[in-house]
Amino acid sequence: MERFRADGFDEFVAARWSALLHVARLLTGGDRQRAEDLVQEALVKLWFAWPKVAEQAPEAYVRKVLVRMAARSARRRWWGERPVEELPDRPEPGDVSAAVAERSRLEAALAVLSPRQRVAVVLRYYEDLPETQVAQALGCPVGTARSHASRGVARLRQLLSDTVSPVG
């Protein structure tokens, strides 16, 4: 039984770990530790369901588990300590740190969105899933999923706009 269960599971995890971790980071608003915990818990659930889903759609199964667990953990009041890193240096032109800073800025903006908006935006625009699959993952009608994604993108645009207001 254990040998049957392990057939293909290790390869799936090795092939999809980084992509699942990145999706989890986006779903958790950039918190790497929470994202790693989510992926590990989702893979444990996949391990037990592996004989049923291995031939069908294991990635869709894990993605749905990640979305549900991220939504559930977002409703909790306390997640533990949240370290804050502030870099004293400004990025130099052409420096790789500028791209990292922009990505961190996007993750911080995603963290501000409501959990359902964040899930809709990540699944629709990062994972490039059709609206029907986003709606299935959220457990809501397609129109509602579309509305969450639209409002999430609008809020991201507002948060990431580089407009500078004039001083007095």
Side-chain angles (χ1 to χ4, degrees), residues 15-26:
R16 301 303 302 154
W17 173 262
S18 62
L20 292 172
L21 181 61
H22 192 70
V23 169
R25 277 187 74 181
L26 294 174

Side-chain angles (χ1 to χ4, degrees), residues 141-161:
V142 174
T144 304
R146 190 179 299 138
S147 176
H148 284 308
S150 174
R151 289 179 182 152
V153 168
R155 180 77 172 126
L156 281 176
R157 284 187 181 130
Q158 177 187 16
L159 291 168
L160 296 174
S161 68

Side-chain angles (χ1 to χ4, degrees), residues 34 67-79 115-116 118:
R34 275 184 55 214
V67 167
R68 287 181 176 172
M69 289 172 39
R72 188 175 37 233
S73 73
R75 287 190 291 259
R76 293 186 199 141
R77 291 191 179 268
W78 186 76
W79 296 298
R116 293 181 69 80
R118 183 171 43 240

